């Protein structure tokens, strides 16, 4: 587990990556304030008190380093960090082996999986949180994020898609319905709800959401 720590910092505080990770072990989200230096280890980051990655529109790209879970080929879980670019919700770099930090590009640690340890208010593809070896890692992160995020429909939809893929139909339906009711959403959610109701033998409910989907 990551250590927990209450921390205070000045807004002007910026530190190199490893120094920041060691100085603020309780911080979940670091804002990258200088990524133009020669190497990733020289990047400067600033600790934040964010519990969830913030919503970001296409005109205001943001770059963070966040706590993450590294899942090896045997399913063993260890803590690490990953960068996250918003609003695209993509990652290029991973820091792992924290007692003697190693920096890798995300593709270099395949077939290991990397899952953020914080949910996101910024939408994206759900497989960002989906570990096929240990799906509970992303599921638990997203359930925790639901309690802390401002845009609950985002984490709810991420959760629903993972649960659907894990064939947990009843629970997936619960979160798809939450996503639909919590705010603006992709109209395909209505189709997913209809399909799940149909799979559960509730044709009347399936028809209601099929009509909603057809009306878009």
């Amino acid at each position: 587990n990551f250590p927990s720590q209450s921390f205070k910092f000045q807004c002007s505080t910026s530190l190199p990556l490893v120094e920041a990770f060691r100085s603020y072990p309780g911080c979940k989200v670091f804002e990258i304030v200088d990524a133009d230096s020669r190497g990733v280890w020289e990047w400067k980051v600033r600790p934040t008190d964010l519990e969830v990655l913030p919503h970001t529109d296409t005109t205001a790209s943001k770059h963070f380093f966040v706590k993450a879970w590294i899942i090896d080929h045997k399913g063993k879980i260890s803590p690490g960090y990953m960068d996250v670019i918003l609003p695209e919700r993509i990652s290029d770099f991973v820091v792992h082996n924290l007692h003697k930090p190693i920096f890798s590009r995300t593709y270099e640690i395949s077939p290991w999986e990397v899952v953020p340890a914080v949910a996101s208010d910024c939408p994206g593809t759900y497989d960002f949180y989906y570990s096929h070896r240990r799906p509970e890692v992303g599921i638990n992160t997203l359930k925790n994020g639901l309690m802390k995020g401002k845009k609950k429909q985002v984490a709810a939809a991420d959760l629903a898609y993972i649960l659907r893929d894990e064939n947990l139909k009843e629970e997936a339906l619960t979160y798809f319905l939450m996503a639909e009711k919590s705010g603006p959403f992709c109209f395909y959610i209505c189709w997913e709800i209809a399909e799940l109701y149909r799979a559960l033998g509730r044709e009347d409910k399936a028809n209601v959401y099929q009509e909603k989907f057809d009306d878009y």
Side-chain angles (χ1 to χ4, degrees), residues 4 13 19 26 29 50 53 91 99 105 124 155 157 162 182 200 211-214:
S4 60
T13 301
E19 184 179 347
V29 180
L50 293 171
L53 287 167
S91 176
H99 65 282
R105 289 189 177 273
I162 294 173
S182 296
L200 293 166
E211 289 178 10
K212 285 187 178 184
F213 173 75
D214 292 340

Side-chain angles (χ1 to χ4, degrees), residues 5-17 19-33 44-51 63-67 81:
Q5 171 189 340
S6 61
F7 56 89
K8 296 181 180 180
F9 56 89
Q10 299 296 323
C11 290
S12 59
T13 301
S14 65
L15 299 166
L17 279 179
E19 184 179 347
F21 298 159
R22 290 173 174 166
S23 299
Y24 297 94
C27 179
K28 296 179 180 178
V29 180
F30 293 88
E31 181 183 5
I32 297 173
V33 296
K44 296 296 196 309
V45 299
R46 179 183 296 127
T48 78
D49 57 3
L50 293 171
E51 296 282 339
H63 201 180
F64 300 94
F65 248 100
V66 306
K67 288 187 171 181
Y81 293 87

Side-chain angles (χ1 to χ4, degrees), residues 86-213:
L86 299 178
E88 295 87 352
R89 213 162 82 169
I90 57 176
S91 176
D92 293 322
F93 304 108
V94 179
V95 177
H96 52 107
N97 193 44
L98 294 184
H99 65 282
K100 190 176 181 181
I102 298 172
F103 151 75
S104 301
R105 289 189 177 273
T106 305
Y107 68 84
E108 291 175 333
I109 67 170
S110 178
W112 292 9
E113 299 174 318
V114 186
V115 177
V118 292
S120 174
D121 274 343
C122 195
T125 58
Y126 71 94
D127 55 359
F128 198 58
Y129 288 95
Y130 191 9
S131 164
H132 293 269
R133 295 190 190 94
R134 299 292 298 269
E136 73 276 11
V137 172
I139 289 170
N140 291 338
T141 292
L142 292 166
K143 285 183 176 179
N144 186 53
L146 267 176
M147 297 184 289
K148 299 175 179 179
K150 295 179 180 179
K151 295 185 176 293
K152 298 188 183 301
Q153 67 271 25
V154 176
D158 286 333
L159 255 175
Y161 280 112
I162 294 173
L163 292 164
R164 179 205 64 183
D165 285 4
E166 288 296 302
N167 205 32
L168 298 170
K169 294 184 177 68
E170 289 279 7
E171 196 172 2
L173 178 59
T174 296
Y175 288 104
F176 274 128
L177 289 168
M178 184 183 299
E180 187 227 355
K181 293 173 182 175
S182 296
F185 65 97
C186 173
F187 72 94
Y188 279 109
I189 285 178
C190 284
W191 184 83
E192 296 287 353
I193 293 171
E195 287 295 295
L196 284 168
Y197 271 132
R198 194 167 286 117
L200 293 166
R202 300 172 68 180
E203 197 66 31
D204 55 335
K205 289 285 191 179
N207 290 337
V208 170
Y209 281 91
Q210 185 66 52
E211 289 178 10
K212 285 187 178 184
F213 173 75

